[in-house]
Amino acid sequence: MTLLERDPKSPLTWSGNLPVTSRYTFGLAGEKFFRAIKDEGKIIGSYCKKCDHTYVPASQFCEKCLAEVSDWVDVGTIGELHTFTVLYEGYDGARLVQPEIVAFISLGDGGLIHRLGEINLDEIYFGMPLEAVFLPEGQRQGSILDIRYFKPAG
Amino acid sequence: MTMRKVAVIGAGMTKFVRRAQETPKELSWLATRMALESCELTLDDIEAVCMGTAPDSFDGIHMKGEYLSDGAGAWRKPYMRSYVGGGTGVFVPIQGWYHVASGMFDVVLVVAEEKMSNFYPHAQAAFLTIFDHTTERPLGPNLLWIFALEMNRYMTTYGISKEDIARVSVQHKRNAANHPCALLGDPDITVEDVLNSEVLAYPVQRYDVSPVSDGAVAIVLAAEHVAKRLTDKPVWVEGVGWNLDTAHWTNRDLVYPRYVEYAARMAYDMAGIKEPKKEIHIAEPYDPFDYKALHHLEGLQLAERGQAPQLYIDGTAARDGNMPVCPSGGLLGVGNPIAAAGLMKIAELFWQLRGEAGDRQVPGQPRRGIAQAWGDLMQVGTVVIMGR
């Protein structure tokens, strides 16, 4: 059985869609965060002194005290694997030809969710150092996908 | 603060199915009718309506609270939709509770509905729309991912085996075999069946997950003086709680649901419960995935951290155990039409505490139960304690 099950006795249906397209701004913090990725190949966070907390991705405000966070810090491009999953199915329920590995990579007091590459499943462990692999400078457009994936560091 | 006592006096639910012929508002109407009939009231007796329903994208209609309103009996009545993601089904009775506890209304209808089959080809893709538009959505995340990431962290931290987690799925699906509205009840399912089901996103396999479903549930709430007139068996709402964790899901403790603990403590305080493990007789923790039931039992203070699997191993969680867990069959067995699934747990406590749960009845005349749901971006806990 797949997610695309077909039942000949199922009710008749009508097809329709909701044609909504959005154009999102990056936001105050997002402008800085994604420009750092695009222009410098850096991952930056924002540090709240009062709460001693470094937000990654960078946030304009501290959710704990609601102060504006104005200390921008380079958190480096190497983080730690916090947890991971291996994806075997796509959105439509079809099996993926090549399973994908996705992980949380801890950076600062937060982190990024991203794909892993250049890695074998059997070498993964919690806490392993992972390094961001960026697209070449001219090809980066200010997107989280400017990071192609994270790979084992060192 | 003076709050009035509030009772559940009626409940109704549709079958939970893979694809319902009924439209979303027809599902709401069916459940609402059954709830009213169960306590012999008519719509004229209802003073206000609370509607709980999850993402608009499932039913495929934006502002679906308005769309569903007539099916929920809200015509020309005070009406409000609440929505806290998967936590909605246990939040909407809390909303109904404060409508009545505050003294604003004496009789309130609470309805929850979800029709996930409208989303094509699969409801999972609708979840893409809940993630951050710049930092996360370009990666194409879905809910299976984030559950898989959390499950892996939970298992690995405590050294819990897949086998012990699979017991949860087996017990809930077996319990559901006695539920007339269940989609995936199976009296013969085994741990091996779960462990042999296809891997979706490691460590999540197909039978670790509840099914996408269509369905609706409704209950009737009444103030004490009305409830005592209408029924000999009111089931009281003894405590309510809700709490929200950080929206940065990467920053959250994936091993322990602190927000569930805070919601539970709020409810226990209100109910005057000091020792949950002794004073709660039935637990209906939210179980969209098998490990989530364990996670939530720990957050609810019904098991020590990392020890919840033991409740299933030693039989405590069985229907005839000391603290039955999900005697309904839960989301894993009955089905998971998001908001309706949470309210189903409230309805289950209502039937269990009145001794009206039929083949699912927990023995020993249980006196008090707890229901809990969880949702938003893995960050909200909602808790209701009911007793007779």
Side-chain angles (χ1 to χ4, degrees), chain A residues 82-83 126, chain B residues 149-157 254-255:
Chain A
H82 188 73
T83 181
F126 282 17
Chain B
L149 292 163
E150 187 177 70
M151 179 171 171
N152 195 2
R153 187 78 196 168
Y154 175 68
M155 283 171 59
T156 308
T157 300
L254 296 178
V255 176

Side-chain angles (χ1 to χ4, degrees), chain A residues 14-114:
Chain A
W14 169 258
S15 291
N17 61 8
L18 297 174
V20 179
T21 306
S22 305
R23 200 164 61 161
Y24 303 106
T25 63
F26 287 91
L28 305 178
E31 277 288 335
K32 293 195 177 76
F33 181 76
F34 285 102
R35 275 194 194 285
I37 287 178
K38 177 173 184 280
D39 298 338
E40 303 172 60
K42 284 183 178 171
I43 299 172
I44 61 168
S46 55
Y47 177 67
C48 175
K49 263 188 213 141
K50 179 164 178 285
C51 301
D52 188 23
H53 193 97
T54 303
Y55 288 89
V56 180
S59 169
Q60 192 69 16
F61 61 92
C62 174
E63 68 173 0
K64 297 170 196 268
C65 68
L66 281 193
E68 183 156 359
V69 180
S70 51
D71 285 355
W72 302 87
V73 291
D74 181 345
V75 297
T77 57
I78 296 178
E80 258 185 26
L81 183 132
H82 188 73
T83 181
F84 71 98
T85 177
V86 190
L87 313 175
Y88 291 91
E89 292 202 354
Y91 279 137
D92 56 0
R95 300 297 280 182
L96 294 174
V97 179
Q98 181 66 43
E100 278 180 29
I101 308 173
V102 169
F104 274 170
I105 301 100
S106 303
L107 293 152
D109 293 311
L112 297 176
I113 179 175
H114 221 297

Side-chain angles (χ1 to χ4, degrees), chain B residues 251-269:
Chain B
N251 297 22
R252 192 157 51 237
D253 181 352
L254 296 178
V255 176
Y256 180 72
R258 181 77 63 182
Y259 47 98
V260 173
E261 177 190 331
Y262 286 1
R265 290 195 188 282
M266 178 176 164
Y268 289 140
D269 283 350

Side-chain angles (χ1 to χ4, degrees), chain B residues 3-9 90 93-98 100-101 110 219-222 234-241 267 270-271 346 349-350 353 368-369 383-388:
Chain B
M3 291 183 289
R4 303 197 297 175
K5 278 182 77 174
V6 181
V8 183
I9 61 167
V90 175
I94 296 176
Q95 186 196 355
W97 168 83
Y98 56 68
V100 178
V110 174
I219 61 169
V220 181
L221 296 178
V235 176
W236 304 103
V237 177
E238 297 187 344
V240 301
M270 188 183 296
I346 301 288
L349 292 182
F350 172 73
L353 296 173
R368 194 185 269 137
V383 173
V384 168
I385 296 166
M386 290 159 60
R388 62 176 172 81

